[in-house]
Amino acid sequence: CNAGSTSLKFKLYDMPSEVVLAKGGVERVGSTDDAIFKYTNMSSGYDTVRKGQCIPDYKAGIRMFLDLLTSSDNGVIADVNEISRVGFKTVLCKGYYGIHELTDSVLDGMQQWFVLAPVHNRAYLQSIEAMKDVEYFEVEGDVLDYDDVMEKV
C-alpha cells in the first residue's frame, strides 16, 4: 500500500514469484462525490476506472479494493484471508529505517516525525489503521517498508 495526502495505490503480488495479480488506486481520498477509483486484474485484463465516487477516507478506498480483489466476476482471490502480509511503503520513522514489523514503537516513531513528513506520515498512519479496522480480516505481522528517500535522517 502506498499512501499520499489524498491518494492510495495498491498491488497484490503472488509470492515468492513476485507476479502482480492486481493493482488499483484511489485519487482524491476524502471526497464524497469526486474520487476516482481504479482497478486492474492483471490476469484477465479487466480494467475499470470509476469517477465521481464517494471515498470519504482511506478505509473506504481499501474496502473497495478488497471487494474487487474477491469479486466472483473480476477478482484474483476467493477470500481476503489469502493475503498473508500487507506492506506499506512509508517515508520516515524516528529510530527506524529499512523493513520492520509494525509495532507500537514503529508507529510512535512515525508520529514523532510528523514535523518532517506531516502529510505522508499522517496518510500512512491512517491507512495502517484503516487496514487493521477493515472487518474482512485481521492483519497480523504487517510489514512496514520505508521509502529509500531520507531513510537515514
Side-chain angles (χ1 to χ4, degrees):
C1 182
N2 187 340
S5 60
T6 61
S7 65
L8 280 170
K9 295 177 189 168
F10 311 96
K11 283 187 182 175
L12 179 67
Y13 291 90
D14 180 26
M15 297 302 282
S17 65
E18 299 182 22
V19 172
V20 177
L21 301 176
K23 64 181 181 177
V26 178
E27 297 173 29
R28 301 183 189 135
V29 172
S31 175
T32 57
D33 62 359
D34 197 32
I36 301 168
F37 177 82
K38 300 174 185 180
Y39 172 83
T40 303
N41 176 323
M42 303 302 283
S43 300
S44 71
Y46 172 80
D47 188 58
T48 186
V49 176
R50 300 176 183 176
K51 297 180 179 181
Q53 298 296 297
C54 175
I55 305 177
D57 53 30
Y58 293 98
K59 187 174 182 177
I62 289 168
R63 188 179 305 271
M64 286 181 76
F65 185 63
L66 293 175
D67 283 346
L68 273 170
L69 281 179
T70 57
S71 159
S72 60
D73 295 329
N74 299 301
V76 295
I77 57 176
D79 188 277
V80 293
N81 289 305
E82 293 179 45
I83 300 171
S84 60
R85 304 286 281 195
V86 177
F88 296 89
K89 190 173 185 290
T90 63
V91 179
L92 289 170
C93 181
K94 184 177 181 179
Y96 295 90
Y97 64 93
I99 298 172
H100 295 278
E101 298 287 329
L102 287 174
T103 63
D104 289 341
S105 177
V106 171
L107 297 175
D108 184 56
M110 290 179 69
Q111 289 176 341
Q112 288 181 39
W113 278 16
F114 273 175
V115 68
L116 297 175
V119 174
H120 286 91
N121 273 13
R122 206 169 257 107
Y124 275 106
L125 287 169
Q126 289 174 6
S127 297
I128 290 163
E129 288 307 311
M131 185 64 78
K132 288 180 177 182
D133 285 346
V134 171
E135 56 227 25
Y136 294 112
F137 66 104
E138 288 292 320
V139 179
E140 294 184 25
D142 309 322
V143 173
L144 183 57
D145 180 8
Y146 291 95
D147 193 280
D148 293 334
V149 177
M150 299 171 54
E151 71 177 15
K152 294 184 180 180
V153 172

